[in-house]
Each structure stands twice: as structure tokens, then as C-alpha cells.
Amino acid sequence: LRGSPYFQDTLEVGHERRGLGLFVGREAELGQLLRHIRGRDRSAQVVTGPAGVGKTTLVQRLKGEAVRLGYLATDRLVPFSVGDTPEQFFARALANVYDTVLVSRPELAAHESMQRAQQLIRTGRMATGVAGGLTVSLSTFGGLGANASRTATLTTPKDVLLDGPRLLHDLLVLARERGQAQGVVLHLNNLESLRPRDFPAAADLLLSLRDPLLMHDGLHVVLVGTADAVSAIVQAYRQVQTVFSVPLVLTPLAIPEVEALLTTRYAHYRDDPGRPARAPITDDVVPRLHAVFGGDLRGVLKALDEGVEDCIGMQPPAAVPAGGPAVVPPVRYDDLTTTLQPRYAALLEAELDELRIERLRRWAEAAGTGVRTQRQLQELWELSQGPVSTTVGELVAAGYVTALPRRGLEPIEYVLAGPTRIAFGLV
């Protein structure tokens, strides 16, 4: 192979090594998202699910398919950031829509609506934003081609909510009437980058932007986030909740789908197109890692990315006919986890203090891979509810504990995440 097929980066249009052609599965989910966009003047959807399940990549695939159907979209997104004001977030969204129209329909650049928009947005090829401005860079799915890029820097974000909604309306009308587009797809990402203490502010942010941003004909919004973030932010206010459709909940890919994904990557990464691609790992590695990481595809890929290369050649070469090429045996699961264990243990010690490591160790010794509620952890750690809740929240945010989807009014259950299991030898 000419590189690691186990990358965790989001797929992008036109990218040589991680293009959208590597997308595998999720056909039913993709169809559901498309059906909610097609034939509607406007739409707002939510894609939710555990971290690492492939939410952002699915929306990238959705945008590529939407462009094929006549909508405008880019492979870039509008991120949520801690401390955002409504003006700042709206500014990023407006700049994204403006640039989407500009690079997808460059012949509209001189139109009156675009000229008026330039009173708030000045364009140019700039590597960084000007102090006080907001910069959005993007590549388009269509129009100027996958390698074209523009940058929009908002010059007066404090004024954006005065004229911005009218300008957004005008840009969407222009895209549909003169640009002959079905509409513009706006990708809002990623609520899981926010911590629980940031959720109330993000909920207030969406409420304040309901009418200025979410209610325009021609705009199709897709928002991505974990289930707890979506519940706390999108569903906090009835006025916002009713704008979005019922969330599309992604579950982890099944093992055959993960194997099909890797098979596609192996074929794409072949160094010699004339020779068949061979998996660098034995057949049992993916199912066993899938169980360790609870279906977290990103975690599985990261473990493979970090461990496989170091393990290649640990087993003696297989016997080959005289004069034939040497055949390197695939990496075995035990060799992989033995290599990863000290690396994950060192990372855990570097990122956590001794007290939290000791609490994780007691958890691992008492429950192993089993589930625990906060009440059970109170008993195990001999702590009150407050310190337990704080510790668990910090460990979830750091990726060492996973919160399972809540079932009705039952207490939330937690399990040790894949890196923790490997660090403590629970594999």
C-alpha cells in the first residue's frame, strides 16, 4: 500500500487520498436526508449519534449528492465555537452561503445582490483573517471545480444582524432564480466540540438565530452533533425544536460494513494497480477491535493507524515459491494490542492526573468492560454525587469513558472507552 488506509479525516470531494469515492454504506440514511430536502422550499435536519460514528462524513456525502441534483454546496462547514455571539455565528453562515454562490455560480459575481453583499463581505485569496474579521475558506463540489477556493472575511460582524438577513434572502433568491439552483445546503458542525457547560449558551444562540438564519426559503440546513448535545441545544426551546425535523440517529456500522469500507480503501491505496490488494491485518482484528471500541469507527481506525505499521514484520515471512516475492504475514490481533498497550497507557498518564487514573483503575478492576451508573461509581469511589458527576464528565470529554444512549428515564450508563480498555489490558 502507498500509505495508511486507516486515516480518520473526513472524506472530501476531489481529494486524492480521501475522496468521497471511498464512502461506503449508509445508503438508507443518505436517502432519508435527501428526501427531506427535495421538493421543499426550505428544510432543517439534524444528524446525531455517538462520537466517531461517521456523522460528518455522511453529510459530506449528502452535499455531494445534493449538488448532483441541482443544489449548491461546498465541502466546508460552519462550526460552533465556545463563546460565539449571534453576530459571529451568523457572520460565518452568511459568508459560507455567499462563497457557495460565488464559487458555484461565478457568473453571478457582478449581480446587484452580490454587489450589495460585498458591503459586508470582501473577498480575496487570504491565508488568514484580518483582526476583527471572520474568515471562511472552501472548495466547491461544482462550479469552479474541486481545487478552486475563495475566502470571505467579514469586516463588520457587529452590523451583520441589521442587514445580514435581508442579504441572505437576496443571495438565496439569486441562486435559485438566476443561478437556476434548487437551493443552498448549509452544513452546521459540530455540536460535540462543545462541553456540557457550553450547551445553554449554544441553545440561546440557536434561538436568537431562528428567524434571521433558519427560516429562509432556499436554504437547507443540516446540523451535526451527539445525542446529548442535540437534546440540550436543539430541543431546549420549542421554537427551535419545531424548525428541525426528527433527528436522524446514526448507529455504528456493522462489522461487514466496516470490512467493506476497509476493502475499498485497500484497493484505492494499492501501490501497484496490477497486483491485488491484501489486508495488512488478520480476519479477526476488525471484529475484536469493533467490540473493544463499542462500534466507534474513528477509534478503530486510530488504533489500526497507530499500531499496524509498527507490527508489520513481527511474524516470519510465509513460505513462497523459489524466486517469488516475499509475503509479509498480516498483523495479528494480539501483536497489535501488545504494541498499543504501552502507548495508550503512557498517553493516559500524560493527560490525566494520578487521582483520575486511580479511579479508572478501580473501575477497570471492579467492572472490567461492564457498565456503571453514577450511583454505582459513588459506591465504588466512595464519593458524593457532585465529585462523581464532575469526574465522569471530564473523562467522557477526554475520551476515556463513553456514555451509552439513555433509555427513557433510566440513569445514564457508562463504559470504559477503547483507549482505556487497551491501556488496562481489557482486550
Side-chain angles (χ1 to χ4, degrees):
L1 303 179
R2 56 190 173 92
S4 170
Y6 305 121
F7 61 85
Q8 303 104 60
D9 299 308
T10 301
L11 301 181
E12 295 183 13
V13 61
H15 198 286
E16 179 187 1
R17 290 182 174 268
R18 46 185 173 85
L20 278 176
L22 295 177
F23 186 87
V24 173
R26 303 288 191 199
E27 295 302 323
E29 294 92 336
L30 177 62
Q32 179 177 333
L33 293 172
L34 282 172
R35 285 193 297 274
H36 197 79
I37 290 176
R38 298 183 68 179
R40 297 174 185 262
D41 289 329
R42 68 171 185 266
S43 65
Q45 302 186 78
V46 177
V47 178
T48 186
V53 79
K55 302 182 294 294
T56 299
T57 294
L58 173 62
V59 178
Q60 293 288 74
R61 177 72 173 85
L62 166 69
K63 291 186 291 185
E65 194 64 18
V67 167
R68 189 182 66 82
L69 296 173
Y71 294 83
L72 306 185
T74 72
D75 65 356
R76 295 296 182 238
L77 47 87
V78 179
F80 284 84
S81 299
V82 175
D84 270 338
T85 65
E87 290 82 4
Q88 289 171 330
F89 192 85
F90 185 91
R92 288 201 294 274
L94 177 63
N96 187 289
V97 172
Y98 174 87
D99 269 353
T100 299
V101 176
L102 181 65
V103 300
S104 300
R105 298 291 189 270
E107 68 275 11
L108 300 179
H111 190 273
E112 181 183 358
S113 295
M114 297 291 281
Q115 294 296 309
R116 288 201 308 267
Q118 287 182 358
Q119 296 173 18
L120 282 181
I121 300 175
R122 65 178 185 272
T123 59
R125 295 182 180 276
M126 302 171 65
T128 58
V130 178
L134 297 170
T135 301
V136 180
S137 301
L138 56 88
S139 297
T140 177
F141 284 99
L144 297 179
N147 295 321
S149 65
R150 299 287 181 99
T151 302
T153 302
L154 208 69
T155 59
T156 54
K158 65 180 181 180
D159 299 330
V160 73
L161 289 182
L162 297 177
D163 296 326
R166 177 180 57 82
L167 292 173
L168 177 58
H169 168 80
D170 291 347
L171 291 178
L172 294 170
V173 170
L174 177 65
R176 293 201 294 173
E177 294 185 356
R178 293 289 299 272
Q180 298 183 336
Q182 297 293 323
V184 175
V185 180
L186 182 66
H187 180 182
L188 307 184
N189 205 81
N190 188 328
L191 292 183
E192 67 188 59
S193 65
L194 303 177
R195 298 198 173 188
R197 64 172 178 264
D198 304 315
F199 290 171
D204 292 342
L205 176 73
L206 274 187
L207 178 63
S208 66
L209 293 177
R210 176 188 183 274
D211 292 336
L213 178 62
L214 301 176
M215 304 301 290
H216 293 273
D217 285 351
L219 189 63
H220 301 274
V221 176
V222 185
L223 184 150
V224 173
T226 53
D228 58 340
V230 167
S231 177
I233 298 173
V234 179
Q235 300 176 352
Y237 294 106
R238 183 67 176 170
Q239 300 96 313
V240 175
Q241 182 181 358
T242 55
V243 172
F244 288 90
S245 61
V246 175
L248 172 62
V249 181
L250 295 191
T251 56
L253 291 174
I255 293 172
E257 294 173 308
V258 178
E259 292 173 336
L261 179 151
L262 292 178
T263 297
T264 300
R265 292 187 177 192
Y266 296 151
H268 182 71
Y269 273 69
R270 280 184 300 176
D271 187 58
D272 181 358
R275 300 175 63 185
R278 292 193 303 115
I281 53 179
T282 57
D283 292 343
D284 66 325
V285 170
V286 168
R288 296 176 72 175
L289 279 182
H290 192 274
V292 168
F293 284 90
D296 175 1
L297 178 61
R298 186 188 303 154
V300 171
L301 292 174
K302 184 175 177 61
L304 292 170
D305 196 28
E306 294 179 337
V308 166
E309 188 171 352
D310 290 344
C311 292
I312 289 176
M314 293 183 67
Q315 299 301 315
V320 295
V327 177
V328 180
V331 174
R332 302 183 308 181
Y333 180 76
D334 289 345
D335 291 335
L336 179 68
T337 52
T338 298
T339 299
L340 289 174
Q341 193 277 330
R343 178 178 298 183
Y344 280 48
L347 182 63
L348 186 149
E349 292 180 3
E351 293 186 343
L352 300 180
D353 58 42
E354 293 183 3
L355 181 60
R356 284 164 179 75
I357 293 175
E358 177 58 27
R359 289 173 181 171
L360 282 176
R361 181 176 288 109
R362 291 174 63 182
W363 185 344
E365 292 173 351
T369 60
V371 301
R372 280 291 183 269
T373 63
Q374 288 196 21
R375 180 174 294 277
Q376 291 171 322
L377 291 173
Q378 284 181 250
E379 298 174 359
L380 176 65
W381 292 338
E382 299 177 343
L383 295 172
S384 61
Q385 172 64 28
V388 168
S389 178
T390 299
T391 299
V392 170
E394 292 170 345
L395 293 173
V396 169
Y400 291 106
V401 169
T402 300
L404 300 179
R406 190 166 190 169
R407 296 174 295 182
L409 298 178
E410 294 294 319
I412 298 176
E413 295 179 328
Y414 301 89
V415 295
L416 297 176
T420 312
R421 297 188 187 192
I422 293 176
F424 289 119
L426 301 175
V427 293

